[in-house]
Amino acid sequence: MNNKLHGLAYINNKFIDTDKKISINSAIDGTEIGSISALNKEQIDFAFESAHKAFYKWSFLNFDQRIEYILKFAEFFLEDKEVIANLITKEIGKSYPDALTEVIRSYEYIIATVEMYKKELVNPIIYDDSIHGIKNKIGKFYHVPIGVVLAISPFNYPINLSIAKIIPTLLVGNTIVFKPATYGSLVCSLIAKYFDKANFPEGVFNLVMGKGSEIGDYILTNRRIEGVTFTGSTDIGKKIAKALPAKNIVLELGGKDAAIVLDDIDIKKVAKEIVKGAFNFSGQRCTAIKRVIVLDSIADNLVEELKNNVLDLKIGNPFDGVDIIPLIDNKSLNYVLDLINDAIAHNANVITGNKVVGYNLLEPTLVDNVSTKSRLAWEEPFGPVLPVIRVKTIQEAISITNASNFGLQASIFTNNIEKAKLIARYLNVGTININKSPSRGPDIFPFIGVKDSGFGVQGIVDSLKAMTRIKGIVENN
Ligand code: NAP
Ligand code: G3P
């Protein structure tokens, strides 16, 4: 156990060890790298009660006092950036350069959130009744905190998607109970360390850990919860929405982002962009391109160029900065393989890949002529496989894009910008990218999922507003 790490829970400003440990194995090769303390029901209740008690004091601080605490946290967080990035790579297998980018992006997110909070939220919105031709009333409408917020994050951006929930929630005056994904909870346990060092008031930040399948349903019954900010799969997102109706809820869920390719493009440039968008982090991004929908007239040439780019991808150990890394677990690998087999059974052609070449390590796989009858056309693999669906018309491309249960983002590749803008109007997704892969950033942009891809909006300004309600004070003359 010498070099092994242990992640402690953190409640009411105390680190908590428990009898129940969950061992954490590296996604790189399955070796045990440490363990975390899993909480029982009483300890979880205590976390919510602590957050509830802390709310009054924290929410009554001046906004600049809260900013001071948050900036202290940010300072300690940044100081440890290499340690955090190293552990992200070791634990979930993200390539080290991407892990470091994730940490720095999170720091920049904090700083930008503080700036936008001062600019957009601290002053009230003011209306009067001059619309009725009189001026007897002045109404001041404030963004006020809601209380205790539950934040639940996924494994794929363990730090960034946690920070992007925790910081805006606290800054506007809420207190928090944070539950990270079990894969990634070791690195997330470091977050508590920086809150502790920054000397936050007791109970403002609480970290609870344990398997979602064991404690998740119980957590969702807690009566102190006034808001939930969640990123993860659609199944769990729906469970949350059902368990906590009429609360402030933000759900960022799965995706099946389409790249629609018209026939007037620079094939080399577009193929390179699509392969990057599909295969980075082995496709374990909600915004990865998860299907190419291409006009028949250009399909052969595009597939050939996609293949050349896929063959250039580097596979292997994340510490070597490769593109294709092991999937998070064996269940995920088998799920991807099942989808590929089902596509083959529906007469698709594997152009390259489809070989397991190491521990949960699948070669990047390009599958052509994918039928809309196959699961790969509709389900989210969260792995390194790119299906190509050939269509005869743009209308067909739009209709297949919109037939998905998901509606996160889409890309349109064409040299005709006006045509792209027209197609964009017909697509039922959160955001459309013209001539670029889908992406959540820049973080100041609202990040939106429709249909099974989410509810509510994230982003630097939107995440601040999401965990507030509007309170009015009306002065009558
Ligand atoms: P997941 O399995 O849904 O897990 C997400 C979180 O929910 C984890 O913290 C998990 O804990 C927890 N959880 C599990 N069961 C729960 C329950 N009954 N009640 C409450 N919480 C519960 O998702 P994932 O595998 O980590 O991430 C992959 C999915 O997230 C993909 O579908 C991807 O598209 C989506 N995603 C979406 C976005 C976006 O912004 N739209 C971003 C990233 C990922 P445990 O880990 O302990 O099970
Ligand atoms: O899957 C995480 C999602 O939020 C994507 O973020 O920056 O890779 O587009 P990004």
Side-chain angles (χ1 to χ4, degrees), residues 377-424:
W378 306 111
E379 294 180 30
E380 180 188 40
F382 233 57
V385 55
L386 181 62
V388 177
I389 301 171
R390 296 175 177 229
V391 292
K392 292 198 168 42
T393 62
I394 294 176
Q395 285 73 11
E396 201 184 342
I398 294 171
S399 134
I400 292 175
T401 304
N402 286 345
S404 171
N405 289 337
F406 294 110
L408 193 56
Q409 298 204 353
S411 294
I412 303 168
F413 291 97
T414 172
N415 282 331
N416 186 335
I417 301 301
E418 289 313 309
K419 201 185 260 181
K421 288 199 253 177
L422 185 60
I423 295 170

Side-chain angles (χ1 to χ4, degrees), residues 77 101 103-113 443 460:
F77 175 82
T101 303
V103 180
I104 292 167
R105 176 181 181 180
S106 307
Y107 173 77
E108 289 168 354
Y109 194 104
I110 301 173
I111 302 304
T113 300
D443 290 326
I460 285 170

